[in-house]
Amino acid sequence: MEVSNKVAVIKNHIEDTPKESHFELKTENLSLSLVPGSDDVIVKNLYISIDPYQINRMKSHSSSQKAIYFAAPITPNQAIDGVAIGKVVASGSPRFQKDDVVVGVFTWAEYSLVKEASIINKLDHSEFPLTYHLGILGFNGLSAYAGFFELCKPKKGEKVFVSAASGSVGSLAAQYAKLFGCYVVGCAGSQKKVELLKHKLGLDDAFNYREETDLKSALKRYFPEGIDIYFDNVGGDMLEAAVDNMNAFGRVAVCGVMSEYTDPGKRAAPDMLNVVYKRLNIRGFLAADFLNIFPDFVSCTSDHLRSGKLQNLEDISSGLDTIPSAFIGLFHGDNIGKKIVKVAEQ
Ligand code: NAP
């Protein structure tokens, strides 16, 4: 039996801000019969995770592309792989049966033909909604948890600043910091997001960075006693301003550099004398480095979810056709929380 399979691809490499015209939705035929003896699995995708790092894979060249296997370049007109949740429709692997619900690295398509090794986990008995496994209980949650606790080694009462604080990783990093007992200020790109940070997530304060003409003085206003920990999602000018306002022995967890992904001419140049004399620890990291703490992270986060102390922010659009706008929207601040595309009903 064959199905018609819609697949989202890029037409060419993308060197700056992504646009609808960079994408195409192709329709292909896919056989649902597997080659006898293969361990392939065919998955019908239910939810696809939309992540900013994919932009660096879509470029003709990026320093990230050779760093680790999942940052490998994406070839125009070929299927784009990314984390997704789907239902098994055919399996040559004894580990997976038809109708198993699985999370793994599939493709931006209605159906994905994958090797069994692409499947990370079965989610048949998930206590929480499936989508949580793409965000709060998945790699984004792990990024926030590992970046804050493992890199920043927080102490209660410390002053924490989080950028892109209404996004998927940022909203969690900010809440972990608050739950731990820190003083937390977040920034985001609209007044609506600022209200959400203060009133729904309970941060001590928040501001709209787009309304600030001088980021260094803005941070001085919000942190008159200086910043101990900066959880950086954006890089660029905000990193420079944060370094200027850090206290001695401050820690900066560099999770991502949103403001630099679509602007090849923009690279943060923090005052290195500050880095030396304040003895700052500025460290980049990947969630994949912290798979050893995944069980602790899931256990702690699940407890917070059960007790209602942690708010999960999700932003879900429906239909594979919404993939281009969902992805593009990340670079314009359209999303609040984890961006996901729902491809099919459970
Ligand atoms: P997200 O924060 O949910 O979405 C991206 C947000 O970035 C947007 O909503 C927007 O919010 C902000 N933004 C967009 N363009 C910007 C610009 N030019 N300057 C400042 N802010 C901008 O995305 P996410 O998935 O949680 O990822 C957040 C960061 O973490 C990204 O840098 C990502 O690459 C990184 N990340 C790293 C790891 C890791 O393992 N190290 C894992 C996952 C994600 P505003 O309205 O606030 O502008």
Side-chain angles (χ1 to χ4, degrees):
M1 181 190 161
E2 273 198 350
V3 286
S4 130
N5 186 25
K6 232 189 273 174
V7 184
V9 299
I10 50 166
K11 291 196 262 186
N12 302 103
H13 290 295
I14 305 175
E15 310 298 352
D16 48 21
T17 308
K19 299 179 196 64
E20 291 272 351
S21 58
H22 288 125
F23 293 85
E24 187 181 356
L25 290 159
K26 298 200 298 187
T27 304
E28 300 172 344
N29 287 334
L30 178 75
S31 166
L32 296 186
S33 319
L34 293 169
V35 178
S38 85
D39 65 357
D40 290 350
V41 180
I42 299 175
V43 174
K44 182 175 173 57
N45 291 316
L46 302 175
Y47 297 103
I48 294 178
S49 173
I50 304 296
D51 296 285
Y53 80 96
Q54 299 276 23
I55 193 69
N56 298 314
R57 302 183 64 207
M58 293 173 180
K59 295 174 185 169
S60 55
H61 170 79
S62 162
S63 56
S64 59
Q65 290 176 352
K66 285 192 180 144
I68 191 158
Y69 64 94
F70 60 75
I74 290 167
T75 309
N77 293 311
Q78 291 196 4
I80 297 166
D81 55 316
V83 176
I85 290 171
K87 199 175 229 185
V88 173
V89 291
S91 174
S93 158
R95 287 174 53 215
F96 304 104
Q97 318 301 324
K98 187 170 179 308
D99 292 336
D100 281 351
V101 176
V102 288
V103 59
V105 180
F106 307 147
T107 48
W108 287 10
E110 289 172 312
Y111 292 86
S112 305
L113 169 65
V114 296
K115 297 282 167 206
E116 68 165 4
S118 302
I119 300 178
I120 301 167
N121 248 331
K122 277 196 212 183
L123 297 175
D124 282 341
H125 305 290
S126 177
E127 174 189 352
F128 299 103
L130 285 180
T131 50
Y132 283 31
H133 299 276
L134 296 180
I136 195 164
L137 294 173
F139 285 105
N140 289 44
L142 180 63
S143 307
Y145 186 87
F148 181 64
F149 290 109
E150 299 290 314
L151 270 79
C152 299
K153 305 274 184 230
K155 297 181 202 75
K156 286 192 197 326
E158 282 194 315
K159 310 278 188 291
V160 176
F161 174 49
V162 180
S163 53
S166 70
S168 176
V169 175
S171 62
L172 297 171
Q175 290 183 86
Y176 286 132
K178 197 68 202 122
L179 286 169
F180 183 76
C182 293
Y183 177 86
V184 186
V185 177
C187 74
S190 72
Q191 198 50 36
K192 182 180 167 198
K193 291 181 173 184
V194 167
E195 295 306 315
L196 176 140
L197 294 176
K198 290 201 279 197
H199 304 301
K200 184 162 182 186
L201 302 192
L203 303 199
D204 295 288
D205 217 334
F207 66 93
N208 179 354
Y209 69 93
R210 290 183 200 272
E211 285 178 350
E212 299 292 342
T213 46
D214 178 348
L215 293 176
K216 287 182 185 172
S217 8
L219 286 179
K220 193 157 261 0
R221 226 164 55 233
Y222 286 96
F223 292 96
E225 293 164 28
I227 300 169
D228 299 303
I229 290 173
Y230 173 37
F231 193 102
D232 185 15
N233 287 307
V234 304
D237 306 341
M238 194 62 89
L239 173 60
E240 293 172 11
V243 164
D244 217 59
N245 281 279
M246 297 296 293
N247 289 329
F249 300 103
R251 287 84 75 205
V252 180
V254 184
C255 181
V257 293
M258 274 311 287
S259 74
E260 304 183 21
Y261 293 163
T262 54
D263 183 349
K266 191 167 184 180
R267 296 290 176 263
D271 180 342
M272 296 309 284
L273 274 183
N274 267 327
V275 177
V276 175
Y277 282 87
K278 293 181 183 178
R279 288 85 105 203
L280 301 183
N281 183 346
I282 303 179
R283 195 185 139 188
F285 71 101
L286 293 173
D289 303 333
F290 293 95
L291 292 177
N292 60 318
I293 61 162
F294 196 79
D296 292 343
F297 144 70
V298 169
S299 158
C300 163
T301 304
S302 301
D303 285 347
H304 285 321
L305 281 170
R306 286 184 201 107
S307 67
K309 287 184 186 157
L310 198 54
Q311 302 294 317
N312 184 35
L313 304 179
E314 287 183 335
D315 188 330
I316 303 179
S317 53
S318 280
L320 195 89
D321 307 11
T322 65
I323 281 197
S325 60
F327 181 66
I328 293 163
L330 293 175
F331 303 93
H332 297 283
D334 293 348
N335 63 306
I336 295 185
K338 176 66 201 161
K339 187 70 205 177
I340 292 169
V341 169
K342 177 180 174 181
V343 184
E345 287 298 333
Q346 248 163 268

